[in-house]
Amino acid sequence: MKMATMQRSGRCGRAWVAACLWVGAWLLVAASGARAAGPVELRMEMAVHVPLVEVSVAGEGLTVIVDTGAGTTVLDAARGDLLRGKKRRPISITGAGRTVEGQYVEEVVIEAGGRRSQGAPVALLPLETLSRQVGRRVDGILGSHFLRQFVVEMDYAGGKVRLHEAGAFRAPEGWRRVKLEMEGGRPAVEGRLTVVEGRTVSGQFLLDSGSNATVTLLPGAGKRWGMPPGGAAVVEDPALGVAGVSRALLFEARELEWGGMAWRGPLVRVREQGGGGADGLIGGEQLRRQRLAIDYGGKSLWLAPEADRGRPVTVDLAGLRIFWLGENYDRPRIEEVFAGRAGEKAGLRAGDVIEAMGGVETPRLRAGMVAEWVRREGTELMVTVRRNGERVERVLQLRRCR
């Protein structure tokens, strides 16, 4: 009797172990299947030529810029209440000749497309100036502390950002791999710029989806290489960051080579202030011409074989820095008029309140419309402004300075 009981007990024990193994195997398959279901796909909206997506923090939906050139993820200080109870420490961000005070918060979880990220540090900084420049509320900036948890695919033509789990991304057939260097956790590539015939410079360029420029030379490289070159047609082209506006000059170079491809006639912004670690930035005006995937862990940039070479390189030809005011960012006011461009030539002034442009009156006029119109070389653009209580009309002749 005792022997039979032991045999039955042994069979039950083996059955229980087998059941556990089966359940464990099923869970592994299920988890594998969940990963194989594909990446998180986020709708990308372009605002003044920078990509925006929707994420959430503490259950609150937020509109954020996808900025591969940013080291730290930033949340607008006005939304700091979402991080109540988390330990903070003060920080200072210096740039554009001034210092911005903020707070640093560790282990913030961001949810994107229903998937929760690992906890990552976030800087709380005021972003209202950035929102006014973009013409809509910007709640934050997704930087490398968040992005490096994934393989980040940027499909500009399809209007999508896809976040692939690290190690799960498989490049489609025909895609080309480019080696990445990591500069402070941010992706960088080797590039070569032909400034004029017979003069070429080479250096390290950060991939910066948060910049609306084609290519930017940072102050160290600009001074070292003597940029802009003598004799080049140069106009003002300030760059906006979280610390404010950085003075910069713009000129047209002969060719930009990076990622195994060459691009003719790049517009090069030379910054006079700020840092960055690398020699320069390859910005969104260049990146949006290709579908690409950034594999942070694998230090690889994957480029789709097709590229939009036919799209002309564009720049703001009006030379107007516009702030969009009001609760809905629908009251545009000219903050600055840059020398040598259409706005100055037409007689527009800082402080002019825009009431209509291109036949569209406020509040229907939006920043995205203006950003497209002022880049259409060879066209005319009617602008109506309110100045000292009077209605003034001007016509912008959109021509590139050469």
PDB file of all heavy atoms in Angstrom, residues 17 25 48 64 121 146 178 205 207 240 248 254 275 287 297 341 343 356 376:
ATOM      1  N   VAL A  17       4.967  18.967 -12.484  1.00  0.00           N
ATOM      2  CA  VAL A  17       6.154  19.585 -13.097  1.00  0.00           C
ATOM      3  C   VAL A  17       5.954  19.797 -14.591  1.00  0.00           C
ATOM      4  O   VAL A  17       6.267  20.843 -15.163  1.00  0.00           O
ATOM      5  CB  VAL A  17       7.409  18.734 -12.834  1.00  0.00           C
ATOM      6  CG1 VAL A  17       8.590  19.254 -13.653  1.00  0.00           C
ATOM      7  CG2 VAL A  17       7.743  18.746 -11.353  1.00  0.00           C
ATOM      8  N   ALA A  25       6.459  27.397 -20.937  1.00  0.00           N
ATOM      9  CA  ALA A  25       6.750  27.472 -22.368  1.00  0.00           C
ATOM     10  C   ALA A  25       5.707  28.327 -23.088  1.00  0.00           C
ATOM     11  O   ALA A  25       6.022  29.121 -23.973  1.00  0.00           O
ATOM     12  CB  ALA A  25       6.788  26.059 -22.962  1.00  0.00           C
ATOM     13  N   VAL A  48       6.438  73.413 -38.016  1.00  0.00           N
ATOM     14  CA  VAL A  48       7.589  74.253 -38.343  1.00  0.00           C
ATOM     15  C   VAL A  48       8.805  73.359 -38.605  1.00  0.00           C
ATOM     16  O   VAL A  48       9.911  73.612 -38.145  1.00  0.00           O
ATOM     17  CB  VAL A  48       7.876  75.298 -37.242  1.00  0.00           C
ATOM     18  CG1 VAL A  48       8.819  76.387 -37.739  1.00  0.00           C
ATOM     19  CG2 VAL A  48       6.579  75.962 -36.785  1.00  0.00           C
ATOM     20  N   VAL A  64       4.937  66.116 -27.756  1.00  0.00           N
ATOM     21  CA  VAL A  64       6.384  66.275 -27.564  1.00  0.00           C
ATOM     22  C   VAL A  64       7.123  66.237 -28.901  1.00  0.00           C
ATOM     23  O   VAL A  64       6.654  65.642 -29.865  1.00  0.00           O
ATOM     24  CB  VAL A  64       6.946  65.173 -26.635  1.00  0.00           C
ATOM     25  CG1 VAL A  64       6.344  65.282 -25.240  1.00  0.00           C
ATOM     26  CG2 VAL A  64       6.682  63.786 -27.210  1.00  0.00           C
ATOM     27  N   PRO A 121      15.644  59.792 -16.634  1.00  0.00           N
ATOM     28  CA  PRO A 121      15.664  61.146 -16.078  1.00  0.00           C
ATOM     29  C   PRO A 121      14.999  62.156 -17.005  1.00  0.00           C
ATOM     30  O   PRO A 121      15.047  62.018 -18.234  1.00  0.00           O
ATOM     31  CB  PRO A 121      17.159  61.444 -15.917  1.00  0.00           C
ATOM     32  CG  PRO A 121      17.835  60.539 -16.899  1.00  0.00           C
ATOM     33  CD  PRO A 121      16.998  59.310 -16.976  1.00  0.00           C
ATOM     34  N   PHE A 146      15.383  58.666 -23.286  1.00  0.00           N
ATOM     35  CA  PHE A 146      14.196  57.867 -23.631  1.00  0.00           C
ATOM     36  C   PHE A 146      14.419  57.094 -24.919  1.00  0.00           C
ATOM     37  O   PHE A 146      14.186  55.872 -24.984  1.00  0.00           O
ATOM     38  CB  PHE A 146      12.977  58.776 -23.785  1.00  0.00           C
ATOM     39  CG  PHE A 146      11.760  58.073 -24.326  1.00  0.00           C
ATOM     40  CD1 PHE A 146      10.929  57.354 -23.472  1.00  0.00           C
ATOM     41  CD2 PHE A 146      11.454  58.103 -25.673  1.00  0.00           C
ATOM     42  CE1 PHE A 146       9.808  56.697 -23.965  1.00  0.00           C
ATOM     43  CE2 PHE A 146      10.344  57.447 -26.178  1.00  0.00           C
ATOM     44  CZ  PHE A 146       9.521  56.741 -25.317  1.00  0.00           C
ATOM     45  N   VAL A 178      24.985  52.257 -41.734  1.00  0.00           N
ATOM     46  CA  VAL A 178      26.027  53.256 -41.538  1.00  0.00           C
ATOM     47  C   VAL A 178      26.447  53.197 -40.075  1.00  0.00           C
ATOM     48  O   VAL A 178      25.593  53.169 -39.175  1.00  0.00           O
ATOM     49  CB  VAL A 178      25.525  54.673 -41.887  1.00  0.00           C
ATOM     50  CG1 VAL A 178      26.609  55.717 -41.621  1.00  0.00           C
ATOM     51  CG2 VAL A 178      25.059  54.737 -43.334  1.00  0.00           C
ATOM     52  N   PHE A 205      29.059  64.693 -37.160  1.00  0.00           N
ATOM     53  CA  PHE A 205      27.797  65.419 -37.187  1.00  0.00           C
ATOM     54  C   PHE A 205      26.723  64.633 -36.437  1.00  0.00           C
ATOM     55  O   PHE A 205      26.470  63.462 -36.743  1.00  0.00           O
ATOM     56  CB  PHE A 205      27.347  65.659 -38.632  1.00  0.00           C
ATOM     57  CG  PHE A 205      28.223  66.608 -39.393  1.00  0.00           C
ATOM     58  CD1 PHE A 205      29.405  66.177 -39.976  1.00  0.00           C
ATOM     59  CD2 PHE A 205      27.867  67.946 -39.528  1.00  0.00           C
ATOM     60  CE1 PHE A 205      30.222  67.048 -40.672  1.00  0.00           C
ATOM     61  CE2 PHE A 205      28.673  68.835 -40.225  1.00  0.00           C
ATOM     62  CZ  PHE A 205      29.859  68.388 -40.808  1.00  0.00           C
ATOM     63  N   LEU A 207      22.992  63.530 -35.573  1.00  0.00           N
ATOM     64  CA  LEU A 207      21.709  63.455 -36.259  1.00  0.00           C
ATOM     65  C   LEU A 207      20.688  64.154 -35.368  1.00  0.00           C
ATOM     66  O   LEU A 207      20.393  63.691 -34.264  1.00  0.00           O
ATOM     67  CB  LEU A 207      21.313  61.995 -36.495  1.00  0.00           C
ATOM     68  CG  LEU A 207      22.305  61.156 -37.301  1.00  0.00           C
ATOM     69  CD1 LEU A 207      21.782  59.732 -37.452  1.00  0.00           C
ATOM     70  CD2 LEU A 207      22.577  61.775 -38.661  1.00  0.00           C
ATOM     71  N   LEU A 240      16.653  78.451 -32.496  1.00  0.00           N
ATOM     72  CA  LEU A 240      15.962  78.517 -31.212  1.00  0.00           C
ATOM     73  C   LEU A 240      16.165  77.236 -30.430  1.00  0.00           C
ATOM     74  O   LEU A 240      15.992  76.135 -30.959  1.00  0.00           O
ATOM     75  CB  LEU A 240      14.465  78.746 -31.430  1.00  0.00           C
ATOM     76  CG  LEU A 240      13.627  78.843 -30.161  1.00  0.00           C
ATOM     77  CD1 LEU A 240      13.954  80.129 -29.408  1.00  0.00           C
ATOM     78  CD2 LEU A 240      12.140  78.790 -30.480  1.00  0.00           C
ATOM     79  N   ALA A 248      23.153  83.083 -35.501  1.00  0.00           N
ATOM     80  CA  ALA A 248      23.782  82.209 -36.499  1.00  0.00           C
ATOM     81  C   ALA A 248      23.715  82.883 -37.869  1.00  0.00           C
ATOM     82  O   ALA A 248      22.879  83.764 -38.113  1.00  0.00           O
ATOM     83  CB  ALA A 248      23.076  80.852 -36.555  1.00  0.00           C
ATOM     84  N   ARG A 254      28.653  73.775 -51.402  1.00  0.00           N
ATOM     85  CA  ARG A 254      28.597  73.078 -52.686  1.00  0.00           C
ATOM     86  C   ARG A 254      28.009  71.673 -52.559  1.00  0.00           C
ATOM     87  O   ARG A 254      27.178  71.245 -53.356  1.00  0.00           O
ATOM     88  CB  ARG A 254      30.005  73.011 -53.294  1.00  0.00           C
ATOM     89  CG  ARG A 254      30.048  72.547 -54.735  1.00  0.00           C
ATOM     90  CD  ARG A 254      31.455  72.664 -55.304  1.00  0.00           C
ATOM     91  NE  ARG A 254      31.472  72.335 -56.724  1.00  0.00           N
ATOM     92  CZ  ARG A 254      31.212  73.210 -57.689  1.00  0.00           C
ATOM     93  NH1 ARG A 254      30.897  74.467 -57.384  1.00  0.00           N
ATOM     94  NH2 ARG A 254      31.257  72.846 -58.953  1.00  0.00           N
ATOM     95  N   GLY A 275      27.225  75.007 -27.425  1.00  0.00           N
ATOM     96  CA  GLY A 275      28.201  73.927 -27.536  1.00  0.00           C
ATOM     97  C   GLY A 275      27.615  72.785 -28.320  1.00  0.00           C
ATOM     98  O   GLY A 275      26.926  72.986 -29.307  1.00  0.00           O
ATOM     99  N   LEU A 287      17.237  65.161 -42.905  1.00  0.00           N
ATOM    100  CA  LEU A 287      16.808  63.825 -42.483  1.00  0.00           C
ATOM    101  C   LEU A 287      15.472  63.430 -43.098  1.00  0.00           C
ATOM    102  O   LEU A 287      15.237  62.255 -43.395  1.00  0.00           O
ATOM    103  CB  LEU A 287      16.721  63.759 -40.956  1.00  0.00           C
ATOM    104  CG  LEU A 287      18.035  63.953 -40.182  1.00  0.00           C
ATOM    105  CD1 LEU A 287      17.758  63.945 -38.685  1.00  0.00           C
ATOM    106  CD2 LEU A 287      19.051  62.880 -40.548  1.00  0.00           C
ATOM    107  N   GLY A 297      21.641  50.913 -29.371  1.00  0.00           N
ATOM    108  CA  GLY A 297      22.438  49.848 -28.772  1.00  0.00           C
ATOM    109  C   GLY A 297      23.401  49.217 -29.757  1.00  0.00           C
ATOM    110  O   GLY A 297      24.534  48.876 -29.396  1.00  0.00           O
ATOM    111  N   ARG A 341      16.630  89.868 -46.063  1.00  0.00           N
ATOM    112  CA  ARG A 341      15.618  88.972 -46.596  1.00  0.00           C
ATOM    113  C   ARG A 341      14.325  89.728 -46.906  1.00  0.00           C
ATOM    114  O   ARG A 341      14.201  90.926 -46.696  1.00  0.00           O
ATOM    115  CB  ARG A 341      15.386  87.806 -45.650  1.00  0.00           C
ATOM    116  CG  ARG A 341      16.599  86.879 -45.591  1.00  0.00           C
ATOM    117  CD  ARG A 341      16.244  85.523 -45.044  1.00  0.00           C
ATOM    118  NE  ARG A 341      17.026  85.210 -43.865  1.00  0.00           N
ATOM    119  CZ  ARG A 341      16.907  84.091 -43.172  1.00  0.00           C
ATOM    120  NH1 ARG A 341      16.028  83.182 -43.530  1.00  0.00           N
ATOM    121  NH2 ARG A 341      17.654  83.872 -42.109  1.00  0.00           N
ATOM    122  N   GLY A 343      11.311  90.075 -45.731  1.00  0.00           N
ATOM    123  CA  GLY A 343      10.559  90.853 -44.754  1.00  0.00           C
ATOM    124  C   GLY A 343      11.125  92.243 -44.568  1.00  0.00           C
ATOM    125  O   GLY A 343      10.383  93.238 -44.534  1.00  0.00           O
ATOM    126  N   ALA A 356      -3.286  88.855 -41.507  1.00  0.00           N
ATOM    127  CA  ALA A 356      -3.562  87.952 -42.627  1.00  0.00           C
ATOM    128  C   ALA A 356      -2.270  87.698 -43.390  1.00  0.00           C
ATOM    129  O   ALA A 356      -1.363  88.539 -43.414  1.00  0.00           O
ATOM    130  CB  ALA A 356      -4.613  88.537 -43.560  1.00  0.00           C
ATOM    131  N   ARG A 376       8.817  79.006 -50.295  1.00  0.00           N
ATOM    132  CA  ARG A 376       8.538  78.813 -51.724  1.00  0.00           C
ATOM    133  C   ARG A 376       9.266  79.869 -52.544  1.00  0.00           C
ATOM    134  O   ARG A 376       8.761  80.966 -52.793  1.00  0.00           O
ATOM    135  CB  ARG A 376       7.035  78.858 -51.973  1.00  0.00           C
ATOM    136  CG  ARG A 376       6.291  77.694 -51.321  1.00  0.00           C
ATOM    137  CD  ARG A 376       4.798  77.793 -51.521  1.00  0.00           C
ATOM    138  NE  ARG A 376       4.114  76.663 -50.899  1.00  0.00           N
ATOM    139  CZ  ARG A 376       2.787  76.550 -50.792  1.00  0.00           C
ATOM    140  NH1 ARG A 376       2.003  77.515 -51.287  1.00  0.00           N
ATOM    141  NH2 ARG A 376       2.248  75.494 -50.222  1.00  0.00           N
TER     142      ARG A 376
END
